[in-house]
Amino acid sequence: MLPMDARRRRVRVRRRLDRAAPERLEGRELLTSTPLGYSLPDLTVSGTPAPVAAYGGPLAVSVDVRNLGASSLIEPLAIMPGMPSSADVGPTRVDVYLSPRSHFGPGAVKIGSVAVPSAPQNSFQQIEGVVNMPQTRLRRFPGSGGTVYAYFKIDTARLTQDTNRANNVTRVGVPILVAAPLPDLQATALDLPPVMQAGDAIQPWIKVANYGTVDTATQGPLVVDLVASTDTAFGPGDIVLAQFSLDSLPPLSLVPTQGIVLGDVNVDTPVNVATLQGPVVVLPQMPGVYNIGVIVDPFNSIREIREIGRGPNTNLSPVQQVGPSIPGLPPAGILVPTPPAGNVFPYPALGPIDTVGNPDPNTITDLITGPRDVLLNALSQRFFPGQTHAPGSVAARRAALQATHAHRPPRRG
């Protein structure tokens, strides 16, 4: 019989062997292709909503659908490029969810779907659609000024034999600012010559953007004015150079983007931006220095988000300065009368060039190219009015010059 200590050691060894983990077997993951040439699709989705929206209003979304599945082996029906494959996906849809939390989970509410016509193997496509926000504020959802998050999920009904469904939904939400159902207008660009002076003729180009959540047509047309002012605010005494009318301007909630970029920095003009081409206008002659700016809705005919709690804004934006005048530079853009047909380049400083056979002693060209007596006579008429030069001796011309000086009053010291 073993001693007591030996029996205890044997019991401890048995217990340690019982606690040991079993050996892990080889993994048996599902292959996307088999030796028989059979492949399965693998759908993944991501999306971008508009950065701002209002309850009960539209929300534009842009979804990116990828099919990572591909035929890695030759299939009888997929030998040529573009032929059907077992990795292709037929018509499906992407569901859009809204949640007050930044991670997908309980509490997300489906607000709409975007149809996907098909997803061939190894393909990428971007599809835009419009869904509607909830009509009223839901429980635990923030009000105006809060943030909600959008999520996207493809093939919710599981109609496709997808090899990996973990990437069929976006786990991190894209933020959306909740705002009041109103437009929000801003002039983003004013295209004018970089240097202007009073009296110039210009043709302005203006861009106006709606950063709100609804179309301006819900409150009627509005006016956009190009104003000349001595300061940077619209008020009495300012001159309206050009006036435009906007009947409708879609909101920013119809432009899928992850952020708002103010100003004229987009390559393609989005739907919430209107370009206004103005007529040719002549700038005022006085004063010598003043400002030109844009005022949107000068009569305050519509309500805007920026006016909530603050009232209308009368500041001109953007603003460019006119003047000061450049010495010797005539007004730009002013058309001059057509010169005579006999004029040639360059135009002389003392007047137009006369045609051959009709000399004018006041033009420098005829004085230089004409006879010597014509030149002397013209100089006598210009500097000594009333005296006519006649051909003669030098003594006679000197006597005539002395007689002319005799009639002049003496200079005062």
Side-chain angles (χ1 to χ4, degrees), residues 57-141:
L59 175 66
V61 295
S62 176
V63 295
D64 298 337
V65 178
R66 294 178 175 86
N67 184 0
L68 304 181
S71 297
S72 58
L73 301 177
I74 298 178
E75 298 183 20
L77 300 179
I79 298 178
M80 299 298 295
M83 296 295 292
S85 169
S86 57
D88 295 344
V89 176
T92 183
R93 67 181 185 182
V94 176
D95 295 332
V96 183
Y97 291 84
L98 203 67
S99 175
R101 299 182 177 88
S102 59
H103 288 78
F104 187 75
V109 178
K110 178 182 174 181
I111 60 175
S113 301
V114 178
V116 180
S118 63
Q121 61 169 338
N122 194 24
S123 65
F124 166 79
Q125 51 186 324
Q126 189 175 67
I127 304 173
E128 294 187 359
V130 179
V131 297
N132 293 320
M133 293 282 290
Q135 291 296 325
T136 58
R137 175 185 172 184
L138 303 178
R139 183 183 178 184
R140 299 182 180 179
F141 276 68

Side-chain angles (χ1 to χ4, degrees), residues 37-380:
Y38 185 81
S39 301
L40 294 179
D42 182 13
L43 294 176
T44 179
V45 65
S46 61
T48 302
V52 63
Y55 289 124
L59 175 66
V61 295
S62 176
V63 295
D64 298 337
V65 178
R66 294 178 175 86
N67 184 0
L68 304 181
S71 297
S72 58
L73 301 177
I74 298 178
E75 298 183 20
L77 300 179
I79 298 178
M80 299 298 295
M83 296 295 292
S85 169
S86 57
D88 295 344
V89 176
T92 183
R93 67 181 185 182
V94 176
D95 295 332
V96 183
Y97 291 84
L98 203 67
S99 175
R101 299 182 177 88
S102 59
H103 288 78
F104 187 75
V109 178
K110 178 182 174 181
I111 60 175
S113 301
V114 178
V116 180
S118 63
Q121 61 169 338
N122 194 24
S123 65
F124 166 79
Q125 51 186 324
Q126 189 175 67
I127 304 173
E128 294 187 359
V130 179
V131 297
N132 293 320
M133 293 282 290
Q135 291 296 325
T136 58
R137 175 185 172 184
L138 303 178
R139 183 183 178 184
R140 299 182 180 179
F141 276 68
S144 180
T147 302
V148 295
Y149 299 89
Y151 303 88
F152 305 90
K153 187 176 183 179
I154 192 171
D155 192 24
T156 307
R158 295 175 175 264
L159 301 178
T160 303
Q161 295 181 353
D162 203 322
T163 59
N164 182 16
R165 295 194 177 275
N167 55 10
N168 286 20
V169 60
T170 56
R171 302 293 177 179
V172 180
V174 183
I176 302 173
L177 176 65
V178 179
L182 294 173
D184 193 9
L185 301 174
Q186 176 69 37
T188 60
L190 175 60
D191 187 10
L192 292 175
V195 178
M196 296 177 291
Q197 58 182 355
D200 287 353
I202 62 172
Q203 185 178 20
W205 288 67
I206 302 173
K207 283 189 176 182
V208 180
N210 181 5
Y211 295 114
T213 59
V214 297
D215 198 307
T216 58
T218 57
Q219 301 187 45
L222 59 98
V223 174
V224 179
D225 287 344
L226 179 65
V227 179
S229 175
T230 55
D231 52 17
T232 59
F234 179 68
D238 295 345
I239 301 176
V240 177
L241 302 177
Q243 191 171 82
F244 310 88
S245 179
L246 278 176
D247 297 331
S248 175
L249 187 58
L252 182 62
S253 59
L254 292 180
V255 182
T257 178
Q258 292 188 4
I260 301 176
V261 181
L262 299 179
D264 187 21
V265 296
N266 296 309
V267 177
D268 298 327
T269 303
V271 296
N272 70 314
V273 177
T275 303
L276 308 176
Q277 179 182 357
V280 177
V281 296
V282 179
L283 299 180
Q285 296 285 350
M286 298 295 293
V289 179
Y290 53 90
N291 297 319
I292 294 181
V294 180
I295 180 72
V296 180
D297 190 25
F299 306 112
N300 196 26
S301 59
I302 65 174
R303 294 185 59 199
E304 302 182 46
I305 295 177
R306 68 178 69 244
E307 297 176 354
I308 297 178
R310 292 179 291 182
N313 187 4
T314 60
N315 292 332
L316 302 177
S317 178
V319 178
Q320 290 195 27
Q321 180 177 310
V322 177
S325 299
I326 302 175
L329 182 65
I334 304 298
L335 300 179
V336 297
T338 305
N343 284 20
V344 295
F345 180 83
Y347 293 100
L350 301 181
I353 302 175
D354 295 329
T355 58
V356 180
N358 186 19
D360 185 357
N362 293 325
T363 58
I364 190 63
T365 303
D366 290 331
L367 294 179
I368 296 176
T369 60
R372 180 172 178 272
D373 294 338
V374 176
L375 174 61
L376 295 177
N377 190 22
L379 294 176
S380 300

Side-chain angles (χ1 to χ4, degrees), residues 12-27:
R12 291 176 183 175
V13 172
R14 290 176 183 175
R15 290 179 180 177
R16 291 175 182 174
L17 293 177
D18 294 340
R19 295 177 183 175
E23 181 182 358
R24 185 177 183 273
L25 299 179
E26 184 181 21

